[in-house]
């Protein structure tokens, strides 16, 4: 499934991330509307019930006044007014009792009104006062019922608000979490192809392993970049093959004319074709020296070409003492005026013997060529953690920090003159770096207190397992 362009994916992710937030906003608006409606209803209820209670209080006062007037002035006009006061009280009571259906005081007041309806037959003032006191007490109880009812409604409203607030909190947490998950999902759809691009670039830079297959679930732009990187890998492979072939053929083709020149110089130097005068001998000496330098360059090119072709090292257990001994014997003449200090603290190392020997050869050759004449060279092989370290140190001019960065690049030579008056090829330290990388190690220039220049090669020993 193709994901479309990067712009479409970004916009779609943004819209999907907004959907939960829009839902949260819609729910918040609904809750606010419910709260407003609830507040309006409860406020209206409180106003109405308080108003009805005030009407009942007024009707009770008018009824008591009318009854006491009739007790003093017993005529039909006052009786009619009293009947009207009873009717108004009953109507106010009915309206209030309809608002408070659960109030038991309503029935009690209705009994009192039933008794007071017979006011024409009540001649005893004490009995009338008892009826009126009972009515007044029950009206006061009704007032308490109104307060209780209002308080209960407020408690119910508070519980509803708390429940709505809890629901809003849970909804907010859930919808925000969903939004974050959608954002992470959208970003992951972009991050994963980018990580794959970084992996491809790392493989191209380190020249290790094969490239992963082309992605099918990625934005179009990133798939295009991945295709370009695959094309670049193919192109680099072609250029590497051309370079390797060029080095191999050039070095091989140079061997034939070089052998002829060397043979001709040898015949001239041995006076096979006749005696040479002083000037001719001097020219022959220059030719012989140049031929020797050219032969060294060709051998270095062949060695470097062979190193480029060796893709996989073969790790074996190697005795470092014997390897160092053989290497120093090869450089016996160059080391006649120098003291070589050897410190080997491991009995066996797990390396590619051929690659490690090349590292030793080139580092010792570099120390001889650039170290101070008559000063010692220190060589140490020791173990540190899961790594074997090789230190080759010499006395002489220190290497500038800026030059260290370019030191291990091919065909890069230092500016300082060599002790052996031989023009270097600039491949020695590059071969050391490439050999170390083939064995998953590294080489660097480190500072030590006993020498001016120290090259340290680190080779991991995980291959033992």
């Amino acid at each position: 499934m193709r994901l479309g362009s990067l712009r479409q994916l970004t916009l779609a992710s943004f819209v999907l991330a907004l959907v939960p937030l829009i839902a949260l906003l819609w729910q918040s608006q609904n809750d606010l509307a419910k709260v407003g409606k609830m507040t309006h209803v409860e406020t209206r209820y409180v106003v109405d019930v308080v108003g009805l209670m005030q009407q009942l209080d007024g009707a009770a006062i008018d009824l008591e006044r009318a009854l006491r007037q009739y007790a003093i002035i017993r005529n039909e006009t006052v009786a009619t007014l009293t009947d009207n006061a009873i009717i108004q009280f009953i109507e106010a009571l009915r309206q209030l009792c309809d608002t408070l259906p659960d109030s038991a005081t309503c029935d009690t007041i209705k009994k009192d009104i039933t008794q007071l309806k017979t006011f024409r037959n009540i001649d005893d003032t004490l009995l009338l006062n008892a009826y009126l006191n009972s009515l007044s007490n029950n009206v006061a109880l009704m007032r308490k019922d109104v307060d209780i009812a209002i308080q209960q409604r407020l408690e119910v409203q508070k519980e509803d608000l708390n429940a709505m607030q809890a629901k809003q909190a849970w909804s907010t947490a859930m919808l925000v979490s969903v939004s974050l998950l959608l954002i992470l999902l959208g970003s992951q759809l972009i991050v994963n192809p980018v990580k794959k691009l970084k992996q491809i670039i790392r493989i191209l830079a380190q020249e290790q392993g094969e490239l992963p297959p082309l992605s099918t679930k990625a934005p179009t732009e990133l798939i295009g970049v991945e295709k370009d990187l695959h094309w670049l890998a193919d192109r680099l492979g072609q250029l590497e093959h051309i370079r390797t072939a060029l080095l191999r053929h050039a070095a091989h083709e140079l061997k034939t004319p070089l052998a002829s020149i060397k043979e001709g110089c040898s015949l001239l130097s041995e006076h096979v074709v006749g005696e040479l005068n002083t000037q001719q001998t001097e020219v022959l000496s220059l030719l012989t020296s140049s031929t020797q330098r050219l032969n060294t360059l060709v051998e270095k090119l062949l060695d470097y070409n062979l190193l480029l072709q060796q893709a996989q090292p073969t790790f074996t257990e190697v005795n470092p003492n014997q390897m160092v001994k053989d290497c120093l014997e090869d450089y016996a003449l160059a080391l006649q005026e120098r003291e070589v200090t050897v410190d080997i603290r491991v009995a066996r190392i797990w390396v590619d013997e051929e690659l490690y020997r090349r590292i030793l050869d080139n580092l010792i050759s570099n120390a001889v060529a650039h170290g101070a004449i008559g000063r010692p060279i220190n060589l140490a092989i020791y173990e540190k953690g899961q790594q074997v370290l090789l230190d080759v140190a010499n006395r002489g001019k220190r290497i500038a920090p800026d030059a260290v960065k370019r030191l291990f690049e091919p065909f890069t030579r230092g500016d300082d003159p060599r002790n052996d008056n031989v023009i270097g090829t600039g491949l020695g330290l590059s071969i050391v770096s490439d050999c170390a990388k083939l064995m998953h190690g590294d080489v660097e220039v480190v500072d030590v207190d006993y020498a001016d220049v120290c090259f340290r090669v680190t080779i991991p020993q995980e291959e033992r397992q």
Side-chain angles (χ1 to χ4, degrees):
M1 181 184 67
R2 299 291 291 273
L3 296 178
S5 67
L6 190 59
R7 177 181 296 176
Q8 292 174 350
L9 178 60
T10 304
L11 291 176
S13 301
F14 182 73
V15 172
L16 287 177
L18 283 180
V19 169
L21 299 180
I22 294 174
L24 178 61
L25 180 61
W26 176 78
Q27 183 180 352
S28 300
Q29 292 295 329
N30 287 340
D31 291 342
L32 287 176
K34 290 180 181 178
V35 171
K37 183 178 180 180
M38 184 187 304
T39 303
H40 174 74
V41 170
E42 296 302 324
T43 303
R44 185 75 260 175
Y45 173 80
V46 172
V47 171
D48 291 343
V49 75
V50 171
L52 293 175
M53 189 66 225
Q54 289 177 350
Q55 290 180 8
L56 185 64
D57 286 337
I61 293 173
D62 294 340
L63 178 59
E64 183 178 357
R65 184 185 300 112
L67 287 172
R68 291 190 184 281
Q69 287 179 354
Y70 181 79
I72 298 173
I73 306 173
R74 288 181 174 270
N75 58 34
E76 194 59 30
T77 302
V78 177
T80 302
L81 293 174
T82 304
D83 289 334
N84 292 333
I86 291 174
I87 292 172
Q88 291 178 359
F89 183 86
I90 292 173
E91 180 63 22
L93 179 63
R94 183 190 63 78
Q95 293 179 0
L96 184 59
C97 289
D98 290 341
T99 308
L100 302 175
D102 297 332
S103 177
T105 310
C106 290
D107 296 334
T108 305
I109 294 178
K110 288 177 181 179
K111 292 179 181 179
D112 292 338
I113 292 298
T114 301
Q115 293 174 348
L116 291 175
K117 283 182 179 179
T118 61
F119 65 91
R120 290 181 176 86
N121 300 326
I122 300 175
D123 298 328
D124 189 355
T125 305
L126 294 177
L127 181 59
L128 179 62
N129 290 334
Y131 287 160
L132 291 176
N133 288 333
S134 176
L135 179 63
S136 177
N137 292 334
N138 288 329
V139 170
L141 291 176
M142 179 62 73
R143 194 177 297 111
K144 290 183 180 179
D145 289 345
V146 169
D147 294 338
I148 292 173
I150 292 174
Q151 189 64 32
Q152 288 177 348
R153 293 292 290 263
L154 291 176
E155 290 294 332
V156 171
Q157 183 180 8
K158 183 178 179 180
E159 291 177 357
D160 291 341
L161 289 176
N162 290 335
M164 191 176 299
Q165 186 177 6
K167 177 184 175 183
Q168 185 71 20
W170 280 106
S171 300
T172 302
M174 182 182 68
L175 293 176
V176 170
S177 300
V178 172
S179 181
L180 290 176
L181 287 176
L182 290 175
I183 292 173
L184 290 176
L185 177 62
S187 62
Q188 199 66 25
L189 293 175
I190 300 175
V191 170
N192 285 338
V194 172
K195 286 183 177 178
K196 189 174 182 181
L197 293 179
K198 291 176 64 177
Q199 179 187 2
I200 294 175
I201 294 173
R202 192 179 300 111
I203 292 174
L204 289 177
Q206 298 177 355
E207 299 180 357
Q208 293 179 355
E210 296 183 357
L211 296 183
L214 285 173
S215 301
T216 56
K217 297 181 180 180
T220 306
E221 294 86 349
L222 298 182
I223 291 179
V225 175
E226 191 173 343
K227 288 181 179 178
D228 292 342
L229 289 176
H230 277 261
W231 174 84
L232 179 61
D234 295 337
R235 184 60 177 166
L236 288 176
Q238 294 174 2
L239 294 176
E240 183 67 21
H241 179 73
I242 293 173
R243 186 184 71 162
T244 304
L246 178 62
L247 286 174
R248 182 173 63 251
H249 291 298
H252 181 269
E253 293 299 327
L254 285 174
K255 280 287 187 178
T256 302
L258 184 60
S260 299
I261 295 173
K262 288 179 64 178
E263 183 64 25
C265 291
S266 178
L267 292 175
L268 291 174
S269 62
E270 294 176 359
H271 306 289
V272 174
V273 294
E275 294 292 332
L276 301 177
N277 58 32
T278 304
Q279 293 179 342
Q280 291 173 338
T281 303
E282 184 177 355
V283 172
L284 179 61
S285 176
L286 293 176
L287 287 174
T288 303
S289 176
S290 299
T291 304
Q292 184 62 36
R293 289 198 301 270
L294 183 58
N295 184 66
T296 302
L297 177 60
V298 172
E299 289 178 353
K300 288 289 186 179
L301 285 174
L302 288 173
D303 191 42
Y304 188 63
N305 182 63
L306 181 61
L307 177 64
L308 292 176
Q309 294 176 356
Q310 183 174 354
Q312 294 295 332
T314 302
F315 288 88
T316 57
E317 278 193 334
V318 177
N319 183 355
N321 292 280
Q322 186 62 40
M323 180 182 290
V324 171
K325 181 181 178 182
D326 295 341
C327 184
L328 293 179
E329 287 179 355
D330 293 341
Y331 288 90
L333 293 177
L335 296 173
Q336 283 181 354
E337 299 180 358
R338 301 168 187 265
E339 176 187 355
V340 180
T341 303
V342 179
D343 180 16
I344 300 177
R345 288 172 252 163
V346 288
R348 293 281 178 178
I349 57 176
W350 192 264
V351 293
D352 184 293
E353 185 174 3
E354 179 65 26
L355 295 177
Y356 207 75
R357 176 59 188 269
R358 290 183 186 178
I359 291 175
L360 277 173
D361 286 339
N362 284 282
L363 288 181
I364 293 177
S365 174
N366 184 78
V368 171
H370 296 282
I373 299 176
R375 301 296 301 279
I377 296 174
N378 299 93
L379 189 150
I381 300 178
Y382 54 98
E383 197 169 18
K384 184 177 182 181
Q386 295 294 321
Q387 298 175 331
V388 166
L389 277 62
L390 165 65
D391 288 353
V392 178
N394 61 269
R395 281 73 176 170
K397 187 176 180 180
R398 292 183 178 273
I399 302 173
D402 295 338
V404 173
K405 301 177 182 179
R406 310 186 310 271
L407 205 59
F408 301 102
E409 296 178 2
F411 306 104
T412 300
R413 297 194 301 267
D415 298 330
D416 299 331
R418 295 168 59 98
N419 297 328
D420 50 8
N421 296 322
V422 176
I423 299 177
T425 62
L427 289 173
L429 294 178
S430 175
I431 292 175
V432 171
S433 178
D434 290 338
C435 288
K437 289 179 180 179
L438 284 174
M439 292 186 289
H440 316 300
D442 194 14
V443 59
E444 58 182 339
V445 179
V446 297
D447 293 330
V448 292
D449 55 359
Y450 58 86
D452 298 317
V453 179
C454 180
F455 289 90
R456 175 170 294 169
V457 179
T458 304
I459 306 297
Q461 298 294 286
E462 285 85 356
E463 296 293 337
R464 288 180 178 177
Q465 284 78 26

